[in-house]
Amino acid sequence: MQTVKVGLLGLGTVGGGTVDILTNTLPEIERRLGQKIEITIIAVRDLTRSRPVDTSGIILTDKPEEVVNHPDVDIVVELMGGTGLAKTLLETAIKNGKHIVTANKALIAEHGNALFSLAKEHNVIVNYEAAVAGGIPVIKAVREGLAANKIEWVAGIINGTGNYILTEMKKPGADFAKVLKVAQELGYAEADPTFDVEGIDAAHKLTILASIAFGIELQFNKVYTEGISKVTADDIRFAQQLGYEIKHLGVASRAENGYSLRVHPTLVPKDVLIANVNGVMNAVMAKGNHVGPTMYYGPGAGAGPTASSVVADIIDIIRWKNQPVADQVPALGFAADQLESAPVVSIDEIETCYYIRCFVKDHSGVLAKVTAIFAESNISMENVHQEPSVEKPDDATLVMITNSVLESKMNEALLSLAQLDAIDGDIMRIRLETLG
Amino acid sequence: MQTVKVGLLGLGTVGGGTVDILTNTLPEIERRLGQKIEITIIAVRDLTRSRPVDTSGIILTDKPEEVVNHPDVDIVVELMGGTGLAKTLLETAIKNGKHIVTANKALIAEHGNALFSLAKEHNVIVNYEAAVAGGIPVIKAVREGLAANKIEWVAGIINGTGNYILTEMKKPGADFAKVLKVAQELGYAEADPTFDVEGIDAAHKLTILASIAFGIELQFNKVYTEGISKVTADDIRFAQQLGYEIKHLGVASRAENGYSLRVHPTLVPKDVLIANVNGVMNAVMAKGNHVGPTMYYGPGAGAGPTASSVVADIIDIIRWKNQPVADQVPALGFAADQLESAPVVSIDEIETCYYIRCFVKDHSGVLAKVTAIFAESNISMENVHQEPSVEKPDDATLVMITNSVLESKMNEALLSLAQLDAIDGDIMRIRLETLG
């Protein structure tokens, strides 16, 4: 049996999980692989800290360049995060002919194009299964399993924190602020929750999913991103009454003149399976022109699930490493010279249905004025619901589901609506996807 | 660009779907692959029949040996079904050095061990993604995506016909016979539905899933198989009232002294996602020791979905074919000399919870007698529900959910129960899996 040597950058949660797998489940892995895997060296931040995993026999260093320059190391696994030092170290590792595994979604989404190109030049593999949806092998499923299809769209619950919050907000008396606090206490949300709650983490992952679905360059800065902090418990209740759940989705779809990449709260019909994905779990749907809709479900974070994908990537590299990378699955699933240049369109250019919720001063004739505004813009209604407001006792709450319309047209209508005297406060607009 | 040449055995539904993909979606596939794929020759049963797909430029023959012996063909795709001629033809193809793709679950489940061994000897690949769960890339997900895990169990809805019937039986007034008739009219069920309804098709697929999950030889003849024809609409209603859905599951799990492989109707808690998989759709759960529970969902049959997996297999072969098969993912995911010999245990040795439903003559003291029998066998109850029977107006229907117990103990208890005078007719027993 050959022994393949691995160097780790980082020994936090996922690093510890990776050491755990490559210690405790190694016999099962060697039954699959017929080769041995050894962790040779790990770069840590603080050499004096005690470790929850056994690192005996492994060199620990606080100089990460020792990992990427180590002559025995075949595969460098980057689990330190960030887009600065991590990027520099991986560039060095690639130039040294090391294969790369990373769980770093920000790094891939923001600098993947350059990294993949450098890796190709040096004939090494860069694998990143753990960067999207943690333990779910969704990169492999879309890039290889659905390779016979033209992918029409992907849509996913790709941030567990956000999904946990929206799930808990269904409970009586819950609201965003309260649930966020509980999530922080449970360790599901960071002290500064912006990254998860405002959709930036999801946008990183969606960037990657869109590229492997359509064969386009990574374009993180083109993703429209909207968080869940404005969604109220009432919105969730109204949506449920109308047959929907509200999920924070990343959606990448083909548009008339390019592609649409967006992260936003979304009404999804209850009878679509992904509407029933609750708590911290993740799920990604991918619709291919031949296969139809498929879905991949599992834990999107945590030591075990993320390390499961990291180690699967290591195993893949070991199987592939004697073959020229040009013959292998390309980094983004499509041959590098075949990536399409059609643009990512502005959010104004998408066409979708909408949930609209607003407070109206409850006097006669308001509904007529509101519906007249939508009628003028040729926006037809699927559903209109009005009930006394609990929050504002003098008002009524007006909830509408529209038929499909161009976002720019909807914006015009909402602008007119906001100018009506009868409208009290902000108007909530949530996009709706049938995912059919 | 190189051109890889493919020969097809069979031009039925899936064969037509394969030709469709390799005609209409070929440009997208070539963007991924950087190589060309050409269908050179197809063996059909009747040369005079008209075809729904364009076969111009392709040799059609009614002599299938011409496909497996064709000197230009690199990959033979078997879509004819059956375990006789298909097997002989594939053996010839393998001996001729052709790589193999097959959608034939019966062939793999019953003769896979010998075929894989022959293929290894001749250094060719045998891919069979389409044999389990149609368009869902579940073989790839379990064999590669979860390769870092010791798989604890797999459980799946792997027969769309059965799932359609159980889903439709939830509607008011529906019963098994009526729904089966509709399924036959819609083309979801065969004129002789035995293969689907009695679980044989699911047992073929479960055999394959168990082997790739645990690294054991294919052992179709050891699978315990029970169909859905005895499940009544009342059972489904009672289960729902108690918080469960009834699904026809294939389950493969680790048992104390080996493995448990079984296909049977199963109560699944409603809040487990797979309980919400309805209609003809398939879904497979796999739980790994590190990743936890994952699920793969999509269409389990039909021309497009099945051909999607067939063509993905072709693409994989094209990427891998210049590499010795010994370095590749082994046929069953584990190195051939590492397959475990622990036995598949008898159904008597499984331990699970049960749903029990029977009719009792409604006089006082019956419930005490029934519960005494279970108490004597140390079987405790999670739930007991009694209501007047609609079907048998003089009787009551008694529904019980037990805690976990060895099947052989449950059989003893049911035997005693059947001997009570108060029990009217057959006792229904359905196993329950929490899938946690």
Side-chain angles (χ1 to χ4, degrees):
Chain A
M1 270 201 201
Q2 263 193 293
T3 299
V4 177
K5 297 191 175 177
V6 175
L8 261 59
L9 297 168
L11 189 52
T13 306
V14 182
T18 304
V19 174
D20 177 31
I21 294 180
L22 289 178
T23 311
N24 297 316
T25 304
L26 198 58
E28 186 81 349
I29 293 170
E30 288 174 356
R31 279 182 67 210
R32 296 178 184 272
L33 191 56
Q35 295 189 53
K36 290 191 175 299
I37 305 174
E38 177 194 289
I39 301 180
T40 303
I41 182 168
I42 305 178
V44 299
R45 209 171 297 175
D46 178 359
L47 279 170
T48 63
R49 232 170 79 183
S50 75
R51 309 286 161 197
V53 289
D54 182 10
T55 56
S56 54
I58 302 174
I59 306 166
L60 294 191
T61 174
D62 56 4
K63 299 183 187 65
E65 38 315 337
E66 287 186 359
V67 174
V68 298
N69 290 319
H70 196 292
D72 293 348
V73 164
D74 303 296
I75 302 171
V76 170
V77 178
E78 185 271 307
L79 304 168
M80 54 196 288
T83 56
L85 181 58
K87 176 167 166 274
T88 314
L89 288 166
L90 289 192
E91 285 165 352
T92 307
I94 289 170
K95 287 175 188 159
N96 286 336
K98 319 284 188 207
H99 300 286
I100 307 293
V101 173
T102 178
N104 190 333
K105 55 219 79 164
L107 181 64
I108 296 295
E110 296 178 27
H111 303 287
N113 297 321
L115 273 178
F116 295 149
S117 159
L118 187 70
K120 202 179 167 214
E121 195 183 311
H122 291 271
N123 198 40
V124 299
I125 305 165
V126 178
N127 275 347
Y128 55 89
E129 181 66 79
V132 180
I136 312 171
V138 65
I139 300 293
K140 184 173 281 286
V142 174
R143 233 174 42 161
E144 303 172 38
L146 304 186
N149 293 267
K150 188 160 187 167
I151 305 292
E152 296 177 0
W153 51 261
V154 292
I157 296 170
I158 43 184
N159 181 277
T161 309
N163 201 46
Y164 172 82
I165 292 173
L166 290 176
T167 303
E168 291 297 306
M169 280 175 70
K170 292 189 229 176
K171 295 184 179 163
D175 68 22
F176 180 80
K178 279 190 216 168
V179 172
L180 174 60
K181 199 156 165 280
V182 174
Q184 286 169 324
E185 283 161 14
L186 289 170
Y188 292 160
E190 308 280 337
D192 174 1
T194 312
F195 204 66
D196 292 315
V197 164
E198 297 305 338
I200 303 156
D201 174 70
H204 280 139
K205 296 167 184 167
L206 183 75
T207 302
I208 299 172
L209 284 174
S211 287
I212 64 169
F214 306 134
I216 56 177
E217 287 210 332
L218 296 152
Q219 294 165 78
F220 170 65
N221 58 357
K222 304 277 181 63
V223 181
Y224 173 83
T225 306
E226 188 181 308
I228 56 170
S229 52
K230 287 179 187 156
V231 175
T232 68
D234 274 348
D235 289 325
I236 294 176
R237 183 171 57 80
F238 288 131
Q240 287 186 315
Q241 283 169 5
L242 297 166
Y244 301 89
E245 298 285 352
I246 298 182
K247 293 290 167 190
H248 199 197
L249 288 192
V251 179
S253 56
R254 294 177 186 271
E256 202 169 352
N257 300 309
Y259 301 96
S260 162
L261 273 61
R262 47 203 166 94
V263 172
H264 52 65
T266 314
L267 268 72
V268 181
K270 277 185 188 178
D271 61 357
V272 176
L273 195 61
I274 202 168
N276 301 294
V277 171
N278 288 319
V280 295
M281 300 302 274
N282 282 18
V284 176
M285 292 185 72
K287 186 174 183 195
N289 64 332
H290 298 289
V291 71
T294 63
M295 194 181 85
Y296 310 92
Y297 165 88
T306 311
S308 166
S309 286
V310 165
V311 174
D313 274 353
I314 293 174
I315 295 169
D316 267 359
I317 287 176
I318 295 173
R319 296 203 194 279
W320 280 104
K321 67 184 171 46
N322 298 324
Q323 176 136 316
V325 288
D327 294 352
Q328 302 182 22
V329 182
L332 292 175
F334 290 77
D337 58 358
Q338 294 290 319
L339 295 181
E340 266 186 11
S341 58
V344 173
V345 302
S346 144
I347 189 75
D348 289 345
E349 294 179 52
I350 72 157
E351 213 178 307
T352 186
C353 307
Y354 295 84
Y355 159 99
I356 308 288
R357 186 258 306 149
C358 54
F359 297 107
V360 295
K361 291 168 193 155
D362 192 18
H363 49 65
S364 61
V366 174
L367 192 58
K369 284 184 192 161
V370 169
T371 49
I373 286 177
F374 285 108
E376 270 165 40
S377 299
N378 280 320
I379 300 172
S380 60
M381 291 293 156
E382 179 70 31
N383 227 310
V384 179
H385 171 80
Q386 185 178 318
E387 67 174 43
S389 169
V390 178
E391 205 177 321
K392 305 192 175 192
D394 294 340
D395 287 2
T397 308
L398 183 59
V399 174
M400 294 165 280
I401 305 265
T402 75
N403 285 321
S404 191
V405 54
L406 198 66
E407 175 118 348
S408 57
K409 270 202 167 285
M410 175 53 74
N411 289 341
E412 281 171 27
L414 292 182
L415 217 61
S416 304
L417 196 62
Q419 284 162 0
L420 280 187
D421 284 341
I423 299 292
D424 189 6
D426 290 342
I427 301 167
M428 182 66 175
R429 167 252 306 274
I430 306 180
R431 296 170 192 87
L432 184 158
E433 295 287 336
T434 54
L435 303 177
Chain B
M1 272 199 199
Q2 263 192 292
T3 300
V4 177
K5 297 192 175 179
V6 175
L8 260 59
L9 296 168
L11 190 51
T13 306
V14 182
T18 304
V19 173
D20 176 31
I21 294 180
L22 289 178
T23 310
N24 296 317
T25 304
L26 198 58
E28 187 82 347
I29 293 169
E30 288 174 355
R31 278 181 68 209
R32 297 180 183 271
L33 191 57
Q35 295 188 52
K36 290 192 174 297
I37 304 174
E38 175 194 292
I39 300 179
T40 303
I41 182 168
I42 305 178
V44 298
R45 208 171 298 174
D46 178 0
L47 279 170
T48 61
R49 231 168 81 182
S50 76
R51 310 285 161 198
V53 287
D54 182 11
T55 56
S56 53
I58 302 173
I59 305 165
L60 294 191
T61 173
D62 55 5
K63 299 184 188 64
E65 42 307 342
E66 286 186 359
V67 173
V68 298
N69 290 319
H70 196 291
D72 292 348
V73 164
D74 303 296
I75 302 171
V76 169
V77 178
E78 185 271 307
L79 303 169
M80 54 196 287
T83 56
L85 181 59
K87 177 166 165 277
T88 316
L89 288 166
L90 289 193
E91 285 165 351
T92 306
I94 290 169
K95 288 176 188 160
N96 285 339
K98 318 285 188 206
H99 300 287
I100 307 293
V101 173
T102 176
N104 189 332
K105 53 219 81 164
L107 181 65
I108 296 295
E110 296 179 28
H111 303 288
N113 298 319
L115 272 179
F116 295 149
S117 160
L118 186 70
K120 203 178 166 214
E121 196 182 309
H122 290 271
N123 200 38
V124 300
I125 305 165
V126 178
N127 275 348
Y128 54 90
E129 181 65 80
V132 180
I136 312 170
V138 66
I139 301 292
K140 184 173 282 285
V142 175
R143 233 173 43 160
E144 303 172 38
L146 304 186
N149 293 268
K150 188 160 185 165
I151 305 292
E152 297 178 359
W153 51 260
V154 292
I157 295 169
I158 44 184
N159 181 276
T161 310
N163 201 45
Y164 172 82
I165 291 173
L166 289 176
T167 302
E168 291 296 306
M169 280 175 71
K170 292 190 230 175
K171 294 185 180 163
D175 68 23
F176 179 80
K178 275 190 217 167
V179 172
L180 174 60
K181 197 156 166 280
V182 174
Q184 286 169 324
E185 283 161 11
L186 289 170
Y188 292 160
E190 308 279 337
D192 174 0
T194 313
F195 204 66
D196 292 315
V197 164
E198 297 306 337
I200 304 157
D201 173 71
H204 280 138
K205 296 166 183 167
L206 183 75
T207 302
I208 299 171
L209 284 174
S211 287
I212 64 168
F214 306 134
I216 57 176
E217 287 210 330
L218 296 153
Q219 295 164 77
F220 169 65
N221 58 355
K222 303 278 182 61
V223 181
Y224 172 83
T225 306
E226 189 181 306
I228 56 170
S229 52
K230 286 179 187 158
V231 176
T232 67
D234 274 348
D235 290 324
I236 294 174
R237 184 171 57 81
F238 289 133
Q240 286 187 316
Q241 283 169 7
L242 296 166
Y244 301 88
E245 297 284 352
I246 298 181
K247 292 290 169 190
H248 199 198
L249 288 192
V251 179
S253 56
R254 293 176 186 272
E256 201 168 352
N257 300 308
Y259 301 96
S260 163
L261 272 61
R262 47 204 165 91
V263 172
H264 51 65
T266 314
L267 267 74
V268 181
K270 276 184 188 177
D271 60 358
V272 176
L273 195 62
I274 201 169
N276 303 294
V277 171
N278 288 319
V280 295
M281 299 303 273
N282 281 19
V284 176
M285 291 185 73
K287 186 176 183 195
N289 65 332
H290 298 289
V291 71
T294 63
M295 194 180 86
Y296 310 90
Y297 164 88
T306 312
S308 167
S309 285
V310 164
V311 174
D313 274 353
I314 293 173
I315 294 169
D316 267 0
I317 288 176
I318 295 172
R319 295 204 194 277
W320 280 104
K321 67 184 171 44
N322 297 325
Q323 175 136 314
V325 287
D327 295 351
Q328 302 184 19
V329 182
L332 292 176
F334 291 78
D337 58 358
Q338 294 290 320
L339 295 182
E340 266 186 10
S341 57
V344 174
V345 302
S346 143
I347 188 75
D348 288 345
E349 294 178 55
I350 72 157
E351 214 180 305
T352 186
C353 306
Y354 295 84
Y355 159 98
I356 309 287
R357 186 258 306 149
C358 55
F359 297 107
V360 295
K361 290 168 195 156
D362 192 16
H363 48 66
S364 61
V366 173
L367 192 57
K369 285 183 192 162
V370 170
T371 49
I373 286 176
F374 285 108
E376 270 164 40
S377 300
N378 280 320
I379 300 171
S380 61
M381 291 292 156
E382 179 69 31
N383 228 309
V384 179
H385 171 80
Q386 186 179 317
E387 67 173 47
S389 167
V390 178
E391 204 177 320
K392 303 191 176 193
D394 294 339
D395 288 2
T397 308
L398 182 59
V399 173
M400 295 165 280
I401 305 267
T402 76
N403 285 320
S404 191
V405 54
L406 199 66
E407 174 117 350
S408 56
K409 270 202 167 284
M410 176 54 72
N411 288 340
E412 282 170 28
L414 292 182
L415 218 58
S416 305
L417 196 63
Q419 284 160 3
L420 281 187
D421 284 343
I423 298 294
D424 190 5
D426 291 340
I427 302 167
M428 183 66 175
R429 167 252 307 272
I430 307 180
R431 297 172 192 85
L432 184 157
E433 295 288 335
T434 54
L435 304 176

